[in-house]
Amino acid sequence: MTKDVLMDIRNVSRRFRGLVAVDDVSFTVAPGELVGLIGPNGAGKTTLFNVLSGHLPPSGGQVLLEGHDISRLTATHCARRGIGRTFQVVKPLTTLTVHENVTVGALLHHPLAVAKEKAEAIIRRVGMASLMDQPASSLTLESRKRLELARALAIDPKILLLDEILAGLNTYEINESIELIRSFSKSDGLAVIMIEHNLHAVMSLADKVVVLDYGQKIAEGMPSEVVRDPKVIAAYLGDDQDAA
Amino acid sequence: MISILPQLIVSGILIGGIYALLSIGLTLIFGVLRIVNFAQGEFIMLAMFGAFWLHQLWGIDPYLSIFIIAPVIFVLGLATERIVIKPILHAPHAMQIFATFGISVILQNLALTLWGPDYRSIQTAYSTQSFIVGTVAISASSLYGFLIALAMAGALIGFLQFSRHGKALRALVQNRYAASLMGIDTERLNRLAFGVGVACAAVAGCVLTPIYYTFPTVGIDLIITAFVVVVLGGLGSVTGAIIGGLIIGITQTLTGFFISVEFKDLIALILFIAILLIRPQGLLGRAGMEEVGMK
Amino acid sequence: MSAFLNDYYVNIAVMTCLWAALSGAWNLMAGYGGLVSLGHAAFFGLGAYVTAIVYTKFGLSPWFGLLAAMLVTTGIAVALSWPCFRLRGAFFSLATLVFPIAMEIVANNWVEYTRGSSGIAIPFNPGIENFIFRSRLAYLVAAFILMVIVYLITRWMHRGKLGLYLIAIRDDPATAASMGIDAVRVKLLVTAISGALTAAGGFFYAQYILFLDPPSMFSINVSIQIALLSIVGGLGTPAGPIVGSLLMTPVDGVLSQFLGGGPRLLIYGLVLLTVVLLAPRGIVGSIRQLRRAR
């Protein structure tokens, strides 16, 4: 049973002064599993990510990675344990090139020469080969989102936290990215939690969907089940829709 | 030893009020422009020389000279913002630092070239005057300085709280981006904030002239004190600057008396590092503000 | 007369190398990590003082002094900077501004070791074991070696692991953390390297000038000059500090003959501001950009 759990999120809460942004959320992620994390704006999705990646300490609860409690670790140590993440508001290292950006990630587990090669391979795989030596500051939003992904992949993560990497992309780019994410999760056995507003993408990708509303988990299950859950419909469409 | 304590504390509070005024200017400029003005101390120094010469040449009282010097420094601030600050608002940190630091070096050495390194002081009718309250003697010029500093701080708080420009400035401090979306003219307000910020320094300089020595490098001592005050009170907090100013004023007076005047900067450094370790957001600052840096 | 002229030019060459080395050591922190120290005079003066005290007070060879200077300065640089790493950007710089002031107070008051405001004169006993030479050319060789060492360290760092990590932390701390970078450790490492090299510069200065007193060793002007050369030459480039020093130090040597401290620093300030506003990449950075644009 525990063997099938890579990340175990147990009753995690996060409060900011009076506001409860994440309220007693629990779910698990298996190796190679792709979990969609959805919910209306302000539901606490990004805050939960910040707790999982160590950028914020939880106010309560535990996060276990491969059975070890990581909830008190800093972002640095979470990354070293194998948690890779992207940022919703993209944060490239603007004075470095694309290749250097990704190399920085690869340096975590590899010496410089190997890291450079590895970075190059990842950049090719995410389809940015032609931008290799461009400064990150010159990239379009789409390329910046891909760079986020490439950087997160470069640290050899066991689990990848993707924060709205499809937002702002056009349909073609979204389909491409979906293929890309699927290939990482299926062929490399990488677990993924993705925050996504694009429900089409979530439905086609996710093995499991977790729905947050006002910081609480209101549903968890197969994508096809979750979309029929009345609580989820109410959260997305507003309560007055029940009457209609 | 103990009987002197009330005296020292009162002296500390009086000088602390002036420190508060220095620090409010620094905090305002940082809050609005996200720029640390290293030249703040030199604007104080210029005001001090201004007050000194107005008194020397025409016998103008340093408190009256506020009405001449503060507007002049305000305009100088507007010009500085236009020529130096505006072009580097989005430059890397290092360039922002050296832009204002460059102004500081220029002004300091301009003063040194023009007026030499001498320590100057002025004698006024109330220089030696003091009020006795119980066992405490309050020097008149310190008291006047404190009151003017307090009035200025009060006026500034009122301006920020109630006037249209003041509200717009506070909006900028909270969220530049949102403020610009709301149609607030950020460029004009940047200039205003810089002008008002250095005008605070000018007022502080004028009230310091009767109680302190005027010399070209006086700004360095003052800016470091102001910075410790700002860190102690919490970055971006005007009330914090006032409380911080009073605490630093008292601390410096006490160390100056019980240990040595020489050590007051060392104490400031120790205090400063202690604050960083224990409560990096300062007394009234929001957690994380100290890490905002120039972002 | 010709011997004097010769000495005069050699002296300028020595100073050019020394300032290039000092500025290069500063550039490691400021140019890569965005740790813009305005207090490097503290580490320079400390290096010089430890050297002088080890020699005059304990009678040990300055070579031990060099070792002690580097160790002590590294320790103090790390201890002082550590709490300041919480501060970003200009706030870090403001904090560092206090370091030399604190050092000067200690040097003025710890008379037993530093001889206070009267300063320390190092006796002129030429010999390699004392690192004191009759010929200025010997000093030139030593200063040149120091400059080359700093250059090579910067080269090694430039796009290596340490350099990339520093830039990552400077550009975005949250991103750096998400890639497993321990920002405090990286900053401590570069501060230690920079502090040790600056102390070596202080050691050289002590053995070359043979006299030190608190106001000249811990002067803010030292910190300004250190920073200025890198900015003029090109911040964050290995060759920048050397180019800056080649350009500025000889000019300064000439200027100092005619102008006092005030006007001279006034010119420094104007140069600093002009470069910041008009060519913020410095000479090396601007040339690089032109080449790329072509």
Side-chain angles (χ1 to χ4, degrees), chain B residues 18 21 51 62-63 66 141 144-146 148-149 202-212:
Chain B
I18 296 170
L21 187 54
Y63 299 130
I66 291 175
S141 39
Y144 298 153
F146 175 77
I148 292 171
V203 175
C206 291
V207 302
L208 273 173
T209 316
I211 48 180
Y212 210 80

Side-chain angles (χ1 to χ4, degrees), chain A residues 69-123:
Chain A
D69 186 358
I70 58 158
S71 45
R72 298 291 147 202
L73 296 184
T74 59
T76 301
H77 286 97
C78 286
R80 291 179 178 185
R81 291 285 180 93
I83 298 178
R85 77 164 293 180
T86 68
F87 291 93
Q88 185 185 359
V89 179
V90 287
K91 288 166 168 290
L93 307 171
T94 45
T95 56
L96 294 177
T97 65
V98 168
H99 185 231
E100 285 165 342
N101 260 271
V102 183
T103 303
V104 171
L107 278 168
L108 183 58
H109 294 301
H110 305 283
L112 188 62
V114 182
K116 280 184 176 167
E117 283 173 26
K118 197 175 144 66
E120 200 179 319
I122 291 173
I123 291 166

Side-chain angles (χ1 to χ4, degrees), chain A residues 17, chain B residues 34 173-174 234-235 237 280-282 284-290:
Chain A
R17 305 236 167 110
Chain B
R34 299 279 172 228
V173 173
Q174 297 221 326
L235 292 174
S237 165
Q281 74 270 37
L284 296 181
R286 268 186 290 153
M289 266 304 255
E290 81 287 353

Side-chain angles (χ1 to χ4, degrees), chain C residues 154-227:
Chain C
T154 317
R155 227 357 335 146
W156 161 76
M157 216 182 82
H158 186 63
R159 284 297 183 264
K161 185 168 180 172
L162 183 58
L164 285 173
Y165 270 20
L166 280 167
I167 294 171
I169 295 162
R170 181 190 70 194
D171 279 2
D172 199 311
T175 301
S178 80
M179 290 191 282
I181 299 175
D182 185 339
V184 171
R185 250 187 66 188
V186 174
K187 287 178 182 178
L188 282 178
L189 182 59
V190 76
T191 304
I193 297 172
S194 178
L197 291 172
T198 308
F203 155 85
F204 178 86
Y205 184 88
Q207 297 303 107
Y208 181 57
I209 304 294
L210 299 175
F211 177 76
L212 33 148
D213 63 345
S216 50
M217 296 314 294
F218 297 110
S219 161
I220 177 86
N221 302 342
V222 172
S223 301
I224 295 172
Q225 191 157 350
I226 285 176

Side-chain angles (χ1 to χ4, degrees), chain B residues 108-240:
Chain B
Q108 215 181 88
N109 291 289
L110 190 67
L112 191 63
T113 308
L114 290 176
W115 302 308
D118 307 341
Y119 283 48
R120 298 159 193 266
S121 63
I122 55 175
Q123 294 297 316
T124 56
Y126 42 84
S127 282
T128 52
Q129 205 182 350
S130 56
F131 309 106
I132 311 285
V133 181
T135 57
V136 179
I138 300 170
S139 116
S141 39
S142 297
L143 182 65
Y144 298 153
F146 175 77
L147 293 176
I148 292 171
L150 223 56
M152 180 73 193
L156 196 66
I157 291 174
F159 166 72
L160 289 175
Q161 210 67 33
F162 302 115
S163 80
R164 241 191 70 194
H165 281 324
K167 283 178 184 166
L169 282 175
R170 278 192 298 139
L172 270 190
V173 173
Q174 297 221 326
N175 192 330
R176 286 195 76 83
Y177 180 64
S180 69
L181 288 183
M182 310 291 273
I184 290 177
D185 183 351
T186 53
E187 269 192 23
R188 247 186 69 206
L189 284 175
N190 280 347
R191 202 155 301 155
L192 178 69
F194 199 85
V196 173
V198 296
C200 284
V203 175
C206 291
V207 302
L208 273 173
T209 316
I211 48 180
Y212 210 80
Y213 291 104
T214 300
F215 54 99
T217 52
V218 66
I220 298 182
D221 294 357
L222 295 173
I223 184 85
I224 287 169
T225 308
F227 178 52
V228 178
V229 168
V230 169
V231 168
L232 178 63
L235 292 174
S237 165
V238 173
T239 329

Side-chain angles (χ1 to χ4, degrees), chain A residues 197-213:
Chain A
H197 277 300
N198 184 325
L199 286 183
H200 160 72
V202 176
M203 293 309 139
S204 63
L205 273 170
D207 302 310
K208 176 164 87 181
V209 174
V210 173
V211 188
L212 292 188
D213 190 27

